[in-house]
Amino acid sequence: EFSIRLFGLILYCSGILICTFLLNQKLFHMQRYVILVNMLGAILLSILPKEIDPLIGILPVFFMTSTQWSIFHGTENYNCSTIFSTNNLRQFVSSLGDYLINKKDDQKDKMLFYALTLFWFYFGAVISFVSCNKLKVHASLVCIPFMLFAWILTLENNPFKGLIKIRKYINGGLLWKE
């Protein structure tokens, strides 16, 4: 069990190192790279045998999350996580408090940014929970349409460009500006 956990750490660190190397080489569009890694990981997770040790079964997730966190780690002046929510919650609550006390527009923007980041994070968690209960080992495939949509948003001539104005893009979620 220690070896499996150590291998998970190695996978996690490998994902970060690969992203760092690719960022420095400028070989790929990194957001598309991460989306592709996560799509392939979702497919791999869906074909692992049901009888596999759960700890071994989540090893691909270590690599997937480290690549995601390496590239989708924030936008503009805001750092936020795509793989956990505690700091995002802290940022939301502190900016809410600061806005209520000082009424600064920048704190209102920050509060809304983190509120929507948390919304999309928990929206994904609910979809994941329902999918896992209904689809069991194939639940990871549910995220592929969301990833395809995110891929489309990375394209220069995406079909949504003229229909909506995207103010900030983060975590596969959108903060809309009418």
PDB file of all heavy atoms in Angstrom, residues 147-168:
ATOM      1  N   MET A 147     -15.936  18.492 -21.300  1.00  0.00           N
ATOM      2  CA  MET A 147     -14.578  18.736 -21.784  1.00  0.00           C
ATOM      3  C   MET A 147     -14.580  19.127 -23.262  1.00  0.00           C
ATOM      4  O   MET A 147     -13.785  19.972 -23.683  1.00  0.00           O
ATOM      5  CB  MET A 147     -13.701  17.518 -21.532  1.00  0.00           C
ATOM      6  CG  MET A 147     -13.349  17.354 -20.071  1.00  0.00           C
ATOM      7  SD  MET A 147     -12.132  16.068 -19.798  1.00  0.00           S
ATOM      8  CE  MET A 147     -13.193  14.699 -19.394  1.00  0.00           C
ATOM      9  N   LEU A 148     -15.462  18.521 -24.045  1.00  0.00           N
ATOM     10  CA  LEU A 148     -15.557  18.909 -25.456  1.00  0.00           C
ATOM     11  C   LEU A 148     -16.010  20.366 -25.590  1.00  0.00           C
ATOM     12  O   LEU A 148     -15.490  21.112 -26.426  1.00  0.00           O
ATOM     13  CB  LEU A 148     -16.518  17.982 -26.207  1.00  0.00           C
ATOM     14  CG  LEU A 148     -16.008  16.567 -26.439  1.00  0.00           C
ATOM     15  CD1 LEU A 148     -17.106  15.689 -27.023  1.00  0.00           C
ATOM     16  CD2 LEU A 148     -14.785  16.568 -27.342  1.00  0.00           C
ATOM     17  N   PHE A 149     -16.939  20.785 -24.742  1.00  0.00           N
ATOM     18  CA  PHE A 149     -17.375  22.175 -24.751  1.00  0.00           C
ATOM     19  C   PHE A 149     -16.209  23.100 -24.379  1.00  0.00           C
ATOM     20  O   PHE A 149     -15.996  24.134 -25.012  1.00  0.00           O
ATOM     21  CB  PHE A 149     -18.559  22.382 -23.804  1.00  0.00           C
ATOM     22  CG  PHE A 149     -19.073  23.790 -23.776  1.00  0.00           C
ATOM     23  CD1 PHE A 149     -19.721  24.332 -24.877  1.00  0.00           C
ATOM     24  CD2 PHE A 149     -18.887  24.586 -22.664  1.00  0.00           C
ATOM     25  CE1 PHE A 149     -20.193  25.642 -24.870  1.00  0.00           C
ATOM     26  CE2 PHE A 149     -19.350  25.895 -22.634  1.00  0.00           C
ATOM     27  CZ  PHE A 149     -20.006  26.422 -23.753  1.00  0.00           C
ATOM     28  N   ALA A 150     -15.446  22.715 -23.345  1.00  0.00           N
ATOM     29  CA  ALA A 150     -14.279  23.509 -22.952  1.00  0.00           C
ATOM     30  C   ALA A 150     -13.267  23.569 -24.091  1.00  0.00           C
ATOM     31  O   ALA A 150     -12.662  24.619 -24.337  1.00  0.00           O
ATOM     32  CB  ALA A 150     -13.644  22.918 -21.691  1.00  0.00           C
ATOM     33  N   TRP A 151     -13.088  22.456 -24.807  1.00  0.00           N
ATOM     34  CA  TRP A 151     -12.164  22.422 -25.956  1.00  0.00           C
ATOM     35  C   TRP A 151     -12.617  23.439 -27.006  1.00  0.00           C
ATOM     36  O   TRP A 151     -11.810  24.206 -27.538  1.00  0.00           O
ATOM     37  CB  TRP A 151     -12.122  21.019 -26.551  1.00  0.00           C
ATOM     38  CG  TRP A 151     -11.176  20.873 -27.698  1.00  0.00           C
ATOM     39  CD1 TRP A 151     -11.342  21.331 -28.979  1.00  0.00           C
ATOM     40  CD2 TRP A 151      -9.900  20.255 -27.679  1.00  0.00           C
ATOM     41  NE1 TRP A 151     -10.269  21.014 -29.748  1.00  0.00           N
ATOM     42  CE2 TRP A 151      -9.362  20.355 -28.976  1.00  0.00           C
ATOM     43  CE3 TRP A 151      -9.165  19.598 -26.696  1.00  0.00           C
ATOM     44  CZ2 TRP A 151      -8.108  19.833 -29.310  1.00  0.00           C
ATOM     45  CZ3 TRP A 151      -7.917  19.078 -27.042  1.00  0.00           C
ATOM     46  CH2 TRP A 151      -7.409  19.202 -28.325  1.00  0.00           C
ATOM     47  N   ILE A 152     -13.904  23.435 -27.298  1.00  0.00           N
ATOM     48  CA  ILE A 152     -14.447  24.373 -28.295  1.00  0.00           C
ATOM     49  C   ILE A 152     -14.167  25.814 -27.880  1.00  0.00           C
ATOM     50  O   ILE A 152     -13.824  26.657 -28.711  1.00  0.00           O
ATOM     51  CB  ILE A 152     -15.952  24.125 -28.512  1.00  0.00           C
ATOM     52  CG1 ILE A 152     -16.166  22.784 -29.230  1.00  0.00           C
ATOM     53  CG2 ILE A 152     -16.604  25.259 -29.294  1.00  0.00           C
ATOM     54  CD1 ILE A 152     -17.602  22.297 -29.247  1.00  0.00           C
ATOM     55  N   LEU A 153     -14.289  26.100 -26.590  1.00  0.00           N
ATOM     56  CA  LEU A 153     -14.037  27.461 -26.107  1.00  0.00           C
ATOM     57  C   LEU A 153     -12.580  27.891 -26.290  1.00  0.00           C
ATOM     58  O   LEU A 153     -12.291  29.084 -26.324  1.00  0.00           O
ATOM     59  CB  LEU A 153     -14.434  27.604 -24.640  1.00  0.00           C
ATOM     60  CG  LEU A 153     -15.929  27.540 -24.344  1.00  0.00           C
ATOM     61  CD1 LEU A 153     -16.167  27.595 -22.845  1.00  0.00           C
ATOM     62  CD2 LEU A 153     -16.684  28.646 -25.055  1.00  0.00           C
ATOM     63  N   THR A 154     -11.664  26.919 -26.411  1.00  0.00           N
ATOM     64  CA  THR A 154     -10.257  27.264 -26.605  1.00  0.00           C
ATOM     65  C   THR A 154      -9.934  27.588 -28.058  1.00  0.00           C
ATOM     66  O   THR A 154      -8.857  28.103 -28.350  1.00  0.00           O
ATOM     67  CB  THR A 154      -9.314  26.119 -26.155  1.00  0.00           C
ATOM     68  OG1 THR A 154      -9.465  24.999 -27.025  1.00  0.00           O
ATOM     69  CG2 THR A 154      -9.551  25.737 -24.712  1.00  0.00           C
ATOM     70  N   LEU A 155     -10.851  27.283 -28.965  1.00  0.00           N
ATOM     71  CA  LEU A 155     -10.605  27.528 -30.386  1.00  0.00           C
ATOM     72  C   LEU A 155     -10.761  29.009 -30.711  1.00  0.00           C
ATOM     73  O   LEU A 155     -11.642  29.684 -30.180  1.00  0.00           O
ATOM     74  CB  LEU A 155     -11.570  26.702 -31.243  1.00  0.00           C
ATOM     75  CG  LEU A 155     -11.507  25.188 -31.039  1.00  0.00           C
ATOM     76  CD1 LEU A 155     -12.604  24.511 -31.848  1.00  0.00           C
ATOM     77  CD2 LEU A 155     -10.138  24.643 -31.412  1.00  0.00           C
ATOM     78  N   GLU A 156      -9.911  29.491 -31.590  1.00  0.00           N
ATOM     79  CA  GLU A 156      -9.944  30.901 -31.968  1.00  0.00           C
ATOM     80  C   GLU A 156     -11.298  31.286 -32.561  1.00  0.00           C
ATOM     81  O   GLU A 156     -11.851  32.327 -32.253  1.00  0.00           O
ATOM     82  CB  GLU A 156      -8.828  31.189 -32.986  1.00  0.00           C
ATOM     83  CG  GLU A 156      -8.671  32.641 -33.305  1.00  0.00           C
ATOM     84  CD  GLU A 156      -8.245  33.486 -32.113  1.00  0.00           C
ATOM     85  OE1 GLU A 156      -7.501  32.994 -31.248  1.00  0.00           O
ATOM     86  OE2 GLU A 156      -8.681  34.646 -32.045  1.00  0.00           O
ATOM     87  N   ASN A 157     -11.843  30.454 -33.408  1.00  0.00           N
ATOM     88  CA  ASN A 157     -13.126  30.737 -34.060  1.00  0.00           C
ATOM     89  C   ASN A 157     -14.227  29.860 -33.492  1.00  0.00           C
ATOM     90  O   ASN A 157     -14.956  29.209 -34.238  1.00  0.00           O
ATOM     91  CB  ASN A 157     -13.003  30.531 -35.573  1.00  0.00           C
ATOM     92  CG  ASN A 157     -12.045  31.515 -36.189  1.00  0.00           C
ATOM     93  OD1 ASN A 157     -12.080  32.693 -35.867  1.00  0.00           O
ATOM     94  ND2 ASN A 157     -11.165  31.028 -37.054  1.00  0.00           N
ATOM     95  N   ASN A 158     -14.360  29.850 -32.176  1.00  0.00           N
ATOM     96  CA  ASN A 158     -15.390  28.987 -31.590  1.00  0.00           C
ATOM     97  C   ASN A 158     -16.768  29.566 -31.899  1.00  0.00           C
ATOM     98  O   ASN A 158     -16.931  30.779 -32.012  1.00  0.00           O
ATOM     99  CB  ASN A 158     -15.154  28.780 -30.088  1.00  0.00           C
ATOM    100  CG  ASN A 158     -15.577  29.931 -29.223  1.00  0.00           C
ATOM    101  OD1 ASN A 158     -16.776  30.208 -29.108  1.00  0.00           O
ATOM    102  ND2 ASN A 158     -14.615  30.600 -28.607  1.00  0.00           N
ATOM    103  N   PRO A 159     -17.765  28.697 -32.065  1.00  0.00           N
ATOM    104  CA  PRO A 159     -19.100  29.149 -32.474  1.00  0.00           C
ATOM    105  C   PRO A 159     -19.823  29.993 -31.433  1.00  0.00           C
ATOM    106  O   PRO A 159     -20.848  30.598 -31.740  1.00  0.00           O
ATOM    107  CB  PRO A 159     -19.852  27.840 -32.735  1.00  0.00           C
ATOM    108  CG  PRO A 159     -19.107  26.797 -31.996  1.00  0.00           C
ATOM    109  CD  PRO A 159     -17.677  27.252 -31.940  1.00  0.00           C
ATOM    110  N   PHE A 160     -19.298  30.054 -30.214  1.00  0.00           N
ATOM    111  CA  PHE A 160     -19.962  30.815 -29.157  1.00  0.00           C
ATOM    112  C   PHE A 160     -19.432  32.240 -29.051  1.00  0.00           C
ATOM    113  O   PHE A 160     -19.974  33.045 -28.309  1.00  0.00           O
ATOM    114  CB  PHE A 160     -19.796  30.094 -27.812  1.00  0.00           C
ATOM    115  CG  PHE A 160     -20.328  28.696 -27.850  1.00  0.00           C
ATOM    116  CD1 PHE A 160     -19.467  27.628 -28.011  1.00  0.00           C
ATOM    117  CD2 PHE A 160     -21.685  28.456 -27.758  1.00  0.00           C
ATOM    118  CE1 PHE A 160     -19.956  26.332 -28.078  1.00  0.00           C
ATOM    119  CE2 PHE A 160     -22.186  27.168 -27.819  1.00  0.00           C
ATOM    120  CZ  PHE A 160     -21.313  26.107 -27.987  1.00  0.00           C
ATOM    121  N   LYS A 161     -18.375  32.531 -29.779  1.00  0.00           N
ATOM    122  CA  LYS A 161     -17.713  33.828 -29.661  1.00  0.00           C
ATOM    123  C   LYS A 161     -18.651  35.000 -29.939  1.00  0.00           C
ATOM    124  O   LYS A 161     -18.626  36.000 -29.238  1.00  0.00           O
ATOM    125  CB  LYS A 161     -16.524  33.881 -30.608  1.00  0.00           C
ATOM    126  CG  LYS A 161     -15.466  34.823 -30.162  1.00  0.00           C
ATOM    127  CD  LYS A 161     -14.231  34.665 -30.999  1.00  0.00           C
ATOM    128  CE  LYS A 161     -13.042  34.935 -30.119  1.00  0.00           C
ATOM    129  NZ  LYS A 161     -11.818  34.477 -30.624  1.00  0.00           N
ATOM    130  N   GLY A 162     -19.482  34.899 -30.961  1.00  0.00           N
ATOM    131  CA  GLY A 162     -20.372  35.990 -31.303  1.00  0.00           C
ATOM    132  C   GLY A 162     -21.646  36.026 -30.480  1.00  0.00           C
ATOM    133  O   GLY A 162     -22.318  37.042 -30.434  1.00  0.00           O
ATOM    134  N   LEU A 163     -21.974  34.924 -29.809  1.00  0.00           N
ATOM    135  CA  LEU A 163     -23.231  34.840 -29.079  1.00  0.00           C
ATOM    136  C   LEU A 163     -23.130  35.346 -27.646  1.00  0.00           C
ATOM    137  O   LEU A 163     -24.087  35.867 -27.095  1.00  0.00           O
ATOM    138  CB  LEU A 163     -23.730  33.397 -29.057  1.00  0.00           C
ATOM    139  CG  LEU A 163     -24.021  32.784 -30.424  1.00  0.00           C
ATOM    140  CD1 LEU A 163     -24.397  31.330 -30.256  1.00  0.00           C
ATOM    141  CD2 LEU A 163     -25.117  33.548 -31.125  1.00  0.00           C
ATOM    142  N   ILE A 164     -21.979  35.156 -27.050  1.00  0.00           N
ATOM    143  CA  ILE A 164     -21.798  35.554 -25.658  1.00  0.00           C
ATOM    144  C   ILE A 164     -20.481  36.287 -25.499  1.00  0.00           C
ATOM    145  O   ILE A 164     -19.552  36.088 -26.270  1.00  0.00           O
ATOM    146  CB  ILE A 164     -21.817  34.335 -24.706  1.00  0.00           C
ATOM    147  CG1 ILE A 164     -20.726  33.341 -25.095  1.00  0.00           C
ATOM    148  CG2 ILE A 164     -23.168  33.699 -24.639  1.00  0.00           C
ATOM    149  CD1 ILE A 164     -20.562  32.194 -24.143  1.00  0.00           C
ATOM    150  N   LYS A 165     -20.433  37.128 -24.513  1.00  0.00           N
ATOM    151  CA  LYS A 165     -19.177  37.772 -24.156  1.00  0.00           C
ATOM    152  C   LYS A 165     -18.674  37.088 -22.907  1.00  0.00           C
ATOM    153  O   LYS A 165     -19.367  37.040 -21.890  1.00  0.00           O
ATOM    154  CB  LYS A 165     -19.391  39.260 -23.899  1.00  0.00           C
ATOM    155  CG  LYS A 165     -19.782  40.011 -25.141  1.00  0.00           C
ATOM    156  CD  LYS A 165     -20.004  41.462 -24.812  1.00  0.00           C
ATOM    157  CE  LYS A 165     -20.463  42.168 -26.079  1.00  0.00           C
ATOM    158  NZ  LYS A 165     -20.814  43.556 -25.825  1.00  0.00           N
ATOM    159  N   ILE A 166     -17.484  36.556 -22.997  1.00  0.00           N
ATOM    160  CA  ILE A 166     -16.913  35.865 -21.851  1.00  0.00           C
ATOM    161  C   ILE A 166     -16.018  36.841 -21.101  1.00  0.00           C
ATOM    162  O   ILE A 166     -15.049  37.336 -21.640  1.00  0.00           O
ATOM    163  CB  ILE A 166     -16.107  34.630 -22.286  1.00  0.00           C
ATOM    164  CG1 ILE A 166     -17.011  33.672 -23.050  1.00  0.00           C
ATOM    165  CG2 ILE A 166     -15.473  33.954 -21.085  1.00  0.00           C
ATOM    166  CD1 ILE A 166     -16.286  32.519 -23.660  1.00  0.00           C
ATOM    167  N   ARG A 167     -16.384  37.128 -19.878  1.00  0.00           N
ATOM    168  CA  ARG A 167     -15.597  38.056 -19.075  1.00  0.00           C
ATOM    169  C   ARG A 167     -14.384  37.356 -18.489  1.00  0.00           C
ATOM    170  O   ARG A 167     -13.277  37.831 -18.582  1.00  0.00           O
ATOM    171  CB  ARG A 167     -16.473  38.621 -17.966  1.00  0.00           C
ATOM    172  CG  ARG A 167     -15.744  39.603 -17.095  1.00  0.00           C
ATOM    173  CD  ARG A 167     -16.746  40.268 -16.188  1.00  0.00           C
ATOM    174  NE  ARG A 167     -16.041  41.055 -15.217  1.00  0.00           N
ATOM    175  CZ  ARG A 167     -16.513  41.316 -14.034  1.00  0.00           C
ATOM    176  NH1 ARG A 167     -17.688  40.869 -13.678  1.00  0.00           N
ATOM    177  NH2 ARG A 167     -15.833  42.040 -13.200  1.00  0.00           N
ATOM    178  N   LYS A 168     -14.626  36.229 -17.856  1.00  0.00           N
ATOM    179  CA  LYS A 168     -13.539  35.442 -17.296  1.00  0.00           C
ATOM    180  C   LYS A 168     -13.858  33.973 -17.541  1.00  0.00           C
ATOM    181  O   LYS A 168     -14.988  33.552 -17.486  1.00  0.00           O
ATOM    182  CB  LYS A 168     -13.409  35.687 -15.802  1.00  0.00           C
ATOM    183  CG  LYS A 168     -12.948  37.085 -15.467  1.00  0.00           C
ATOM    184  CD  LYS A 168     -12.845  37.256 -13.972  1.00  0.00           C
ATOM    185  CE  LYS A 168     -12.247  38.583 -13.635  1.00  0.00           C
ATOM    186  NZ  LYS A 168     -13.201  39.641 -13.504  1.00  0.00           N
TER     187      LYS A 168
END
